Amino acid sequence: MSENIMRIIDLRGQQLSRAELLAAMPRAAMGTSEATDLVRPILEDVKERGAAALRDFEEKFDHVRPEHLRVPAEAIKDALTTLDPEVRAAIEESVRRARAVAKNQVPKDFHTDLAPGARVAERWIPIQRVGLYVPGGKAVYPSSVIMNAVPAQAAGVESLAIATPPARDNAEGLPNKTILATCAILGVDEVYAVGGAQAIAMFAYGAKGSEPQDGDVLCDPVDKITGPGNIFVATAKSLVSAFVGIDAVAGPTEIGIIADKDANPSLLAADLIGQAEHDELAGSVLFTDSPELADAVQENLNYRVPKTEHAERVHTSLSGTQSAIVLTDGLDQSIDAANAYAAEHLEIQTKDADAVVKRIKNAGAIFRGPYSPVPLGDYMSGSNHVLPTGGTARFAAGLGVHTFMKPVEVIEYDEEGLKALAARINAFAVSEDLPAHGECVLSRFVEDPYNKATLREQEKEAGLL
């Protein structure tokens, strides 16, 4: 019998504090300090030299020097005409479902009337210009184009730019044709053949042109950057986040599964493998109170992993410290552990799945039942697959229409509304040793708010008391 792939974390018989439970969860190690030292010079060089630096970094990291950093419109159109009809149909169905959900996500403006002449309203305003990053690397991600662009369009973002690395098999330095075709389907025509930290720098600072085809300005700076990427992309987003918005600093992808003795071990193994396929650092965690189920899952992994195409990558991921089967005393402890783990994707495969779903406090997205596997959400469920990782689902949410909008309060008081509060505002301001705040308000109703000797009488005469 071959050795089991996944390690066991046994929580049975233990009464763990919140801190101990959080510490017991498997996590991937993130070498952010090393990445920072490598990324910071890239950001500075792009800020200083613009398109010239971008071409240098593309040649260094992606081994091609793009003639056109901004992808020509004709190349985007041509990519759509040559797209496999079955793939096109799949992409269009994914877009249709994502747009249906995004339409219902758009927040509504509202107002609250507090008294006569006293109203506070809230408007939701789209972010003006957004940069969407679509990773390359081990796979091609047209799905990431959809997940970023659809909610931004539903939010009403005026200007969308996409950056994605050049395809390794494209001698002209253009991105993957399926990604370009997806941009065409979505109506996004500002696309850059730029990857990695240099793309984040381009979005954050903008980039001046260096060749005639670039124009004087290759790319204008954006107001917010969204989209997943590797450690260098994540680090670059973190470094520029002081002056440009970002969605999150994403870590390696992960799945958590809560399963009981009635779950199908073959499906559980398939789902763990599916997530492990992303990356050697991807986390796959099973929470169960059934040792028999855990053994059956291990047996299925031992059979399935060698047969999958990316077997070495999957094995590295499943056997890493970021992956584990967590044995618990019962469903209650499984739920507590899953809430502590706060998975990016959390599958519920238990007898009473609805009851478990109601008790989940922390997850990027919840996949209920055996026929809602994570790849459904990756591609075509209508939900968004850009989700919080590394336990940040305890306080963060996945990408959505709200990501691309900002609530702005509108304060609407008339003379009557302000007059009713003027004396109280003054008292509050004086208590904070900010008397000019109070004087600002009183100036609208009394002759001389700076004459403190007569102020009380002035307030009475003005009807403020």
Side-chain angles (χ1 to χ4, degrees), residues 352-421:
D352 190 352
D354 287 336
V356 176
V357 168
K358 290 177 182 177
R359 295 176 61 188
I360 298 303
K361 297 179 173 65
N362 304 320
I366 300 170
F367 297 78
R368 181 210 172 279
Y371 295 99
S372 302
V374 169
L376 174 66
D378 286 341
Y379 298 117
M380 217 166 290
S381 68
S383 62
N384 203 292
H385 78 199
V386 183
L387 301 167
T389 60
T392 60
R394 290 187 294 125
F395 54 82
L399 199 76
V401 172
H402 58 275
T403 307
F404 301 99
M405 304 188 80
K406 52 190 178 183
V408 177
E409 290 182 326
V410 180
I411 295 85
E412 308 173 48
Y413 274 57
D414 64 12
E415 183 177 359
E416 181 184 5
L418 180 60
K419 188 174 182 179
L421 298 178

Side-chain angles (χ1 to χ4, degrees), residues 126-315:
I127 291 170
Q128 201 167 353
R129 178 165 163 78
V130 174
L132 312 176
Y133 185 76
V134 177
K138 295 184 174 67
V140 176
Y141 295 103
S143 56
S144 285
V145 180
I146 298 168
M147 300 299 167
N148 279 271
V150 167
Q153 290 173 330
V157 173
E158 292 177 16
S159 177
L160 289 178
I162 288 177
T164 189
R168 293 178 179 178
D169 59 353
N170 190 296
E172 299 176 52
L174 295 176
N176 174 271
K177 287 188 176 182
T178 306
I179 288 177
L180 293 181
T182 306
C183 292
I185 290 170
L186 290 165
V188 178
D189 59 7
E190 186 180 350
V191 184
Y192 296 91
V194 182
Q198 59 271 26
I200 304 305
M202 177 187 70
F203 280 153
Y205 306 121
K208 59 187 178 184
S210 64
E211 302 290 340
Q213 62 270 28
D214 300 336
D216 292 336
V217 176
L218 172 72
C219 179
D220 284 321
V222 304
D223 302 311
K224 190 166 190 176
I225 302 169
T226 69
N230 62 19
I231 183 64
F232 302 105
V233 169
T235 301
K237 288 169 69 176
S238 178
L239 290 173
V240 301
S241 63
F243 58 90
V244 65
I246 64 170
D247 52 349
V249 179
T253 191
E254 62 205 18
I255 185 176
I257 305 175
I258 300 176
D260 60 17
K261 63 181 179 62
D262 296 316
N264 184 326
S266 178
L267 296 182
L268 297 178
D271 293 355
L272 293 168
I273 290 170
Q275 204 64 22
E277 183 180 39
H278 276 285
D279 189 273
E280 288 84 354
L281 291 176
S284 296
V285 182
L286 171 65
F287 304 94
T288 184
D289 59 352
S290 170
E292 294 77 17
L293 179 72
D295 288 342
V297 169
Q298 294 275 32
E299 290 178 12
N300 272 275
L301 291 173
N302 289 338
Y303 170 78
R304 286 170 173 265
V305 170
K307 294 180 177 294
T308 194
E309 182 172 349
H310 302 294
E312 185 176 350
R313 184 193 309 164
V314 169
H315 191 283

Side-chain angles (χ1 to χ4, degrees), residues 315-330:
H315 191 283
T316 300
S317 170
L318 293 177
S319 61
T321 57
Q322 75 275 14
S323 299
I325 295 176
V326 179
L327 289 177
T328 66
D329 281 323

Side-chain angles (χ1 to χ4, degrees), residues 34 36 40 54-55 73 90 109 161 171 202 205 214 272 284 347 381 415 445 453 456:
E34 297 88 345
T36 298
R40 198 183 298 278
L54 292 172
R55 285 188 171 88
D109 295 351
M202 177 187 70
Y205 306 121
D214 300 336
L272 293 168
S284 296
E347 291 187 357
S381 68
E415 183 177 359
F445 303 103
R456 202 69 171 172

